[in-house]
Amino acid sequence: MEFPEMGFSALGAVNPGCNDCMSPSDLQLAGVALQMEPIQHPADASGADLQPSTPIRVQQPLAFSHPKASCMVVASLRQQANPILKYFTSVPYCLAPIAPDFLVGVGTCVVFLSLKFHRLHPKQLVQRLVLLQRCRELSKRFLLLLNDVDGAHASLAQVTLHAFHHGFMLVVAASPPEAAELLQQLKASENRAPDCLQPTLDARHAPRCAEVLRVLPAVNRADFVSLAKEFGCMRSIFLAKQQALQQCPGIGPKKVRALLAAFQEPFFPDTDARYSGDPLKPASGVMSKEDSPSASGKTITKDRKGREA
């Protein structure tokens, strides 16, 4: 029994005389073996096939490494039109079919993300981070974020959480030239020690206290030495009054104001009770010029007990 439209023939029926009236489902129920045969396309008089065979292209999987990653920045083919590539000046780069957006070293990958693109396609970032997180060939993972949207604090916080939960170090750039400079710095710092980016702090107490006070623009190292000799410890410096600070050699009024502002002003003035009211409204117990009797033109007389008449 032949089934040319289905591409196979049924052979060896149970009852040879009834093969013409049996359906393929009946043959399967009866335990008949179905032998698959390829469908033959009709050919023309010249013997050429009417349906020419087209070659099947097998897509090669994207690689997570590249042999040139040790000497240059390897960019993915997807980043060919990225404008940051034209700002590469100190480090060469090449294009290759790789899974990450950039390879800045052996085992060091960079995922490039535009904040504007992330707001349009928020789910794509997690898929890419999960794919690279599972790769054992990548030991260092960076997420380079181009902050090209003003005031997108919620989107920026979302990207920060995704980078933290998937083991990526977040690097934020404000412009394409800055993003290119960061990529070149990552490549240049590939074989450097970690302390080249953040030097180790001095273990001694006095130099570390000096670094705290020298954060203020008006205070230098000589001022710290003068304050240390006068007060002896950081607690006494923090609790010092204005007159005591002015008695220190080399500490003038400008430096005193800078120190008192750093020691006494709150970190968040909006939440402080002293700044919660109307800034144009005078403080309690202080009378403004508009509320004064002389400004209103009224004459107020008082009796012997001090009450207004």
Side-chain angles (χ1 to χ4, degrees), residues 221-271:
R221 187 176 183 84
D223 298 333
F224 171 76
V225 174
S226 178
L227 292 171
K229 291 181 179 180
E230 182 69 22
F231 297 98
C233 64
M234 292 290 289
R235 183 177 183 274
S236 300
I237 297 176
F238 291 157
L239 299 178
K241 302 298 182 180
Q242 181 177 359
Q243 297 178 356
L245 292 174
Q246 291 178 352
Q247 294 178 0
C248 295
I251 305 298
K254 182 179 179 180
K255 295 181 180 181
V256 170
R257 289 194 298 268
L259 290 171
L260 292 178
F263 297 158
Q264 299 177 3
E265 288 186 1
F267 292 109
F268 306 101
D270 297 337
T271 60

Side-chain angles (χ1 to χ4, degrees), residues 52-251:
S53 59
T54 57
I56 300 176
R57 297 181 180 179
V58 180
Q59 185 177 4
Q60 298 293 334
L62 298 177
F64 293 93
S65 60
H66 196 271
K68 294 185 179 180
S70 59
C71 57
M72 64 177 61
V73 175
V74 181
S76 175
L77 296 177
R78 298 186 304 270
Q79 304 297 323
Q80 187 173 4
N82 197 327
I84 70 174
L85 294 178
K86 64 181 180 181
Y87 296 103
F88 274 64
T89 56
S90 59
V91 177
Y93 73 92
C94 66
L95 298 174
I98 57 176
D101 292 333
F102 297 95
L103 287 175
V104 293
V106 179
T108 305
C109 71
V110 177
V111 175
F112 179 79
L113 177 66
S114 171
L115 194 58
K116 184 183 299 183
F117 178 83
H118 174 70
R119 298 183 69 181
L120 298 176
H121 309 278
K123 297 182 180 180
Q124 187 173 353
L125 175 62
V126 179
Q127 298 175 358
R128 299 202 59 200
L129 296 184
V130 171
L131 175 64
L132 298 176
Q133 184 185 17
R134 296 175 180 176
C135 180
R136 297 182 179 180
E137 300 179 12
L138 303 174
S139 58
K140 300 176 184 178
R141 305 175 183 89
F142 292 90
L143 176 58
L144 179 57
L145 177 64
L146 179 60
N147 188 9
D148 50 358
V149 179
D150 296 334
H153 302 291
S155 300
L156 185 59
Q158 185 181 19
V159 173
T160 304
L161 289 177
H162 288 327
F164 174 76
H165 288 298
H166 293 88
F168 280 74
M169 289 174 278
L170 180 63
V171 183
V172 182
S175 61
E178 185 179 359
E181 182 64 25
L182 290 173
L183 281 176
Q184 295 177 92
Q185 289 293 334
L186 289 176
K187 180 59 183 176
S189 305
E190 176 187 3
N191 298 322
R192 294 182 182 178
D195 55 355
C196 68
L197 300 178
Q198 183 177 1
T200 57
L201 297 176
D202 198 332
R204 296 174 296 175
H205 179 66
R208 299 182 68 175
C209 294
E211 292 295 331
V212 173
L213 293 181
R214 288 178 60 186
V215 174
L216 302 176
V219 180
N220 52 30
R221 187 176 183 84
D223 298 333
F224 171 76
V225 174
S226 178
L227 292 171
K229 291 181 179 180
E230 182 69 22
F231 297 98
C233 64
M234 292 290 289
R235 183 177 183 274
S236 300
I237 297 176
F238 291 157
L239 299 178
K241 302 298 182 180
Q242 181 177 359
Q243 297 178 356
L245 292 174
Q246 291 178 352
Q247 294 178 0
C248 295
I251 305 298

Side-chain angles (χ1 to χ4, degrees), residues 299-309:
T299 303
I300 300 177
T301 58
K302 298 183 180 181
D303 55 8
R304 295 180 179 180
K305 295 183 179 180
R307 294 176 297 181
E308 294 182 1

